[in-house]
Amino acid sequence: MNEASRPEEITEAVVVASFGACSDARTRELMQALTKHLHGFVTEVRLARDEWQRAIAILAETGGITDEHRQEFVLWSDALGVSMLVDALAIERPTGTTESTVVGPFWAAGSPIRRFGNSIGEHSGGDPAWVFGRVTNESREPIAGAESDVWQNGVNRLYAVQDPDVPEAHLRGLFHSTRDGEYAFLGIRPTPYPIPADGPVGRMLAATGRHPWRPAHIHVAVHAAGCESVATHIFDADSAYLDSDAVFAVKPSLVKQFVPRTLEDPDRPSGVSGSWYSVQMDFVLARQPDRAE
Ligand SMILES: [Fe+2]
């Protein structure tokens, strides 16, 4: 039995002795590094007992508030920059392929399959935005049948998963690219929104003088056979908060201009009866090395 009592002895007993015999090398590496850094943090700040109790209470509250509609753990990961760090450390994609960014806590499975050019709106509100482009591989060859999973928040700042007053499928949809790799859908010009601030993450932001706002964006996750999937955003170039995103997710290549268009514009999409916007975003997918033909 270990009889460690001094701080460095406790750390040694946990990090080296307790996990040293773990037969799975990766599990051993993860648990040893996790406990080493956790003990290092506690030691560095000389964590007081009441602070430790508060931390446990915050974790318990995070679990309690999390359900299928509210993902407070993802919010912690996003707000502390861990999501973007994991993304940055992932296998590097070839130059020129579409950059990824956070998935965030508002993605939901089961979006409806919609046809080329259809609207994702199932409820009124918002300025129409025609979102279009082409899905290609890194050789710029079009990919037919690539799936674009899109979701965005409404003018009331809420995603459908947060808003009991709109249909579940509001501002969400699955689109499949044409033979020429083209996709298009009618969304709305996105609006900035604060990440949920009524839980422990929100209190952390307030206590540290950080704002909860995200710049306006549309989420798109693109999947195609034989290619690496990419989960990304289309950011509105005119949005506030592009330089201070609460979750650190802005990448310059993802910032696009929403072009104002008029009622008289011959390209006006069907169902649009006033002024509208258009934005082009092409997706370039990297080949999946082990499945390349
Ligand atoms: Fe979002």
Side-chain angles (χ1 to χ4, degrees):
M1 303 299 288
N2 80 68
E3 295 174 359
S5 57
R6 290 176 24 209
E8 56 274 23
E9 290 173 340
I10 295 169
T11 299
E12 175 85 2
V14 176
V15 176
V16 180
S18 81
F19 292 119
C22 175
S23 59
D24 183 82
R26 181 58 173 163
T27 303
R28 184 172 67 246
E29 180 184 16
L30 289 172
M31 291 312 299
Q32 288 190 318
L34 174 67
T35 46
K36 184 176 82 177
H37 289 283
L38 188 57
H39 282 231
F41 162 75
V42 170
T43 303
E44 179 182 325
V45 302
R46 298 195 71 82
L47 197 69
R49 283 185 199 176
D50 63 327
E51 291 170 331
W52 173 83
Q53 282 172 339
R54 178 116 182 82
I56 298 294
I58 288 168
L59 288 173
E61 186 185 353
T62 300
I65 203 174
T66 296
D67 62 19
E68 58 183 317
H69 302 300
R70 175 72 181 261
Q71 239 306 355
E72 195 77 0
F73 283 108
V74 174
L75 218 49
W76 273 117
S77 174
D78 290 353
L80 296 180
V82 175
S83 304
M84 287 308 291
L85 183 57
V86 170
D87 179 73
L89 291 168
I91 299 166
E92 243 178 62
R93 292 193 167 88
T95 308
T97 57
T98 300
E99 292 191 285
S100 55
T101 190
V102 295
V103 173
F106 303 120
W107 176 84
S111 283
I113 296 172
R114 302 187 192 271
R115 298 178 72 81
F116 181 94
N118 276 181
S119 171
I120 57 174
E122 304 219 345
H123 198 265
S124 58
D127 296 325
W130 179 251
V131 185
F132 70 101
R134 178 173 285 218
V135 184
T136 68
N137 61 23
E138 54 199 280
S139 306
R140 301 301 192 272
E141 297 159 339
I143 301 174
E147 180 188 88
S148 296
D149 186 345
V150 307
W151 67 104
Q152 68 170 130
N153 58 305
V155 282
N156 65 354
R157 301 171 182 163
L158 299 176
Y159 286 84
V161 294
Q162 300 172 282
D163 187 353
D165 296 331
V166 299
E168 271 181 33
H170 182 49
L171 298 176
R172 294 168 50 193
L174 298 173
F175 294 85
H176 293 92
S177 58
T178 65
R179 217 166 34 186
D180 298 326
E182 292 179 349
Y183 79 92
F185 64 90
L186 188 62
I188 60 172
R189 189 169 189 187
T191 186
Y193 64 87
I195 61 174
D198 58 342
V201 173
R203 288 204 309 277
M204 178 277 291
L205 295 176
T208 56
R210 284 177 52 183
H211 75 69
W213 289 89
R214 297 216 57 210
H217 61 272
I218 296 171
H219 293 259
V220 188
V222 188
H223 312 279
C227 293
E228 299 283 350
S229 295
V230 63
T232 193
H233 288 10
I234 304 168
F235 286 100
D236 185 334
D238 293 327
S239 176
Y241 309 111
L242 282 170
D243 58 355
S244 63
D245 185 356
V247 302
F248 312 97
V250 178
K251 295 180 177 179
S253 71
L254 308 179
V255 179
K256 301 293 176 184
Q257 201 70 50
F258 281 67
V259 180
R261 312 279 290 260
T262 64
L263 176 65
E264 295 74 28
D265 194 311
D267 293 331
R268 176 167 57 91
S270 68
V272 172
S273 54
S275 58
W276 52 293
Y277 293 90
S278 66
V279 61
Q280 180 174 2
M281 174 78 163
D282 296 326
F283 298 106
V284 183
L285 304 186
R287 281 191 193 84
Q288 217 168 38
D290 51 343
R291 287 172 58 188
E293 293 176 349

